[in-house]
Amino acid sequence: SNHDRNNTWRDVRAITSDPDQPPDRRSNLLENAGFGKACGIPFDIRGHRGVVLYLARVSADQNQLCEQTNEIHLRVSADLIGAVSCSVITTKASINAKRERNAKTLRRVRAKMLALVAFASLAGSGLRTEYDDNMLKDEKEENAKSSFNTRFSSFYSSKTYRKSVFPMLGRSYRQSLLESVVNETKRRGLLLIEKSRGGRLQPPPSMKWLPTIHVFVGAFITMLILSVLSSSLKNATGYRYIILPPFGALMTLQYGLTAAPASQPRNALYGQIVSVSIALVVNT
């Protein structure tokens, strides 16, 4: 379980200076404010997962932070914070579902009202009963109701009703559908533009001149030596040469981002060997 694992406290300065991490102004502000240690504790509340970040001063005692009572307290507090955030999310979801139900109910009522208005406007000209007071006195009430219901049913199924009411309902439905499609398209377009701009992340800072010259000279000389060796071997043997996989990106990582995970021997050497071997097998 989560309570059986030890909490891991990391140095904030190491996180902000990590070349693999994008520059984060918030981390720099926390470091300037005196927070030197950070610990992230995950929580899982009925499928709602997240991480609670705890901060400590630079001068905080590591032994006190790693005490068993303190670790249990931090994990229980993380579960409590996760439960509160989960409750907020479910409350918002319930409110949105209620609003959606109310909106559907209002749309149904609107459609029914439009149908009633259209029927009332047509009833004034097409459903005038021929029963006046003298005729109602002579006929029985049941026969009069039966005759009226018969003519009402025939009018409901007539072409006049279909040509007047159905187009009105169709226009209302198409208008609401078009509005929803336009709003959804706008939302997706704005989201795509925001993602294309990189979201809220800030671009990495530009490299200084001295490291830039170092990367350029190192990559250029290395690639030049490999190219000369490959040409010399091909001229001497006629067909043998040194296979040159994407060494350009590899040299850039080796000289520019030495501490990055992609620059370590496991990725730099083993990755190149495996990729070249696969390429040779597929080519043959």
Side-chain angles (χ1 to χ4, degrees), residues 194-265:
E194 185 68 21
K195 288 184 177 180
S196 301
R197 293 177 177 175
R200 298 180 179 179
L201 296 177
Q202 297 293 330
S206 59
M207 186 178 293
K208 297 181 180 179
W209 281 105
L210 185 60
T212 303
I213 297 174
H214 174 262
V215 173
F216 173 76
V217 173
F220 179 78
I221 294 176
T222 304
M223 294 299 297
L224 181 62
I225 294 173
L226 291 175
S227 179
V228 171
L229 291 176
S230 179
S231 300
S232 301
L233 182 61
K234 186 175 181 180
N235 294 331
T237 60
Y239 62 94
R240 295 183 182 276
Y241 57 91
I242 300 177
I243 299 176
L244 295 177
F247 276 120
L250 180 61
M251 292 300 102
T252 304
L253 289 175
Q254 292 297 322
Y255 290 102
L257 297 175
T258 308
S263 302
Q264 304 309 311

Side-chain angles (χ1 to χ4, degrees), residues 73-138:
H73 174 68
L74 294 181
R75 291 194 174 275
V76 172
S77 301
D79 292 338
L80 178 60
I81 295 173
V84 172
S85 63
C86 181
S87 175
V88 173
I89 294 175
T90 54
T91 301
K92 290 182 178 179
S94 178
I95 293 175
N96 292 332
K98 185 176 180 180
R99 290 177 178 175
E100 185 66 22
R101 289 194 301 269
N102 294 335
K104 290 181 179 179
T105 302
L106 290 176
R107 286 195 294 267
R108 288 196 296 268
V109 171
R110 180 185 177 185
K112 291 181 180 179
M113 292 298 295
L114 290 175
L116 291 175
V117 170
F119 174 75
S121 62
L122 294 173
S125 58
L127 288 179
R128 296 183 181 276
T129 60
E130 300 177 358
Y131 298 98
D132 52 10
D133 295 339
N134 296 326
M135 295 178 63
L136 290 176
K137 292 179 181 179
D138 298 333

Side-chain angles (χ1 to χ4, degrees), residues 1-8 40-43 71-72 75:
S1 61
N2 292 337
H3 300 285
D4 298 333
R5 297 195 299 267
N6 295 328
N7 301 335
T8 302
I41 300 180
F43 62 85
E71 289 187 349
I72 295 176
R75 291 194 174 275

Side-chain angles (χ1 to χ4, degrees), residues 20-40:
D20 289 338
Q21 299 293 334
D24 188 7
R25 183 181 178 185
R26 184 179 300 176
S27 300
N28 296 329
L29 292 176
L30 291 175
E31 182 183 359
N32 296 332
F35 295 103
K37 303 179 186 301
C39 176

Side-chain angles (χ1 to χ4, degrees), residues 25-194:
R25 183 181 178 185
R26 184 179 300 176
S27 300
N28 296 329
L29 292 176
L30 291 175
E31 182 183 359
N32 296 332
F35 295 103
K37 303 179 186 301
C39 176
I41 300 180
F43 62 85
D44 186 356
I45 308 297
R46 295 184 177 274
H48 175 63
R49 298 180 177 88
V51 176
V52 177
L53 182 64
Y54 292 98
L55 299 171
R57 299 187 305 274
V58 180
S59 59
D61 188 1
Q62 185 73 20
N63 296 327
Q64 293 182 359
L65 295 176
C66 296
E67 287 182 354
Q68 184 178 6
T69 54
N70 187 52
E71 289 187 349
I72 295 176
H73 174 68
L74 294 181
R75 291 194 174 275
V76 172
S77 301
D79 292 338
L80 178 60
I81 295 173
V84 172
S85 63
C86 181
S87 175
V88 173
I89 294 175
T90 54
T91 301
K92 290 182 178 179
S94 178
I95 293 175
N96 292 332
K98 185 176 180 180
R99 290 177 178 175
E100 185 66 22
R101 289 194 301 269
N102 294 335
K104 290 181 179 179
T105 302
L106 290 176
R107 286 195 294 267
R108 288 196 296 268
V109 171
R110 180 185 177 185
K112 291 181 180 179
M113 292 298 295
L114 290 175
L116 291 175
V117 170
F119 174 75
S121 62
L122 294 173
S125 58
L127 288 179
R128 296 183 181 276
T129 60
E130 300 177 358
Y131 298 98
D132 52 10
D133 295 339
N134 296 326
M135 295 178 63
L136 290 176
K137 292 179 181 179
D138 298 333
E139 296 179 0
K140 294 181 179 180
E141 185 177 358
E142 294 182 358
N143 294 334
K145 290 182 178 180
S146 177
S147 178
F148 180 80
N149 291 335
T150 301
R151 282 185 290 175
F152 177 80
S153 300
S154 61
F155 173 77
Y156 186 80
S157 59
S158 63
K159 294 182 179 179
T160 304
Y161 179 81
R162 291 196 298 268
K163 290 182 179 179
S164 58
V165 177
F166 285 177
M168 185 182 299
L169 297 178
R171 286 193 299 270
S172 176
Y173 174 75
R174 287 193 298 270
Q175 184 178 0
S176 60
L177 181 62
L178 181 61
E179 291 178 356
S180 61
V181 171
V182 170
N183 293 334
E184 182 67 17
T185 304
K186 289 182 179 179
R187 187 185 69 83
R188 291 182 178 272
L190 294 176
L191 182 61
L192 179 61
I193 294 174
E194 185 68 21

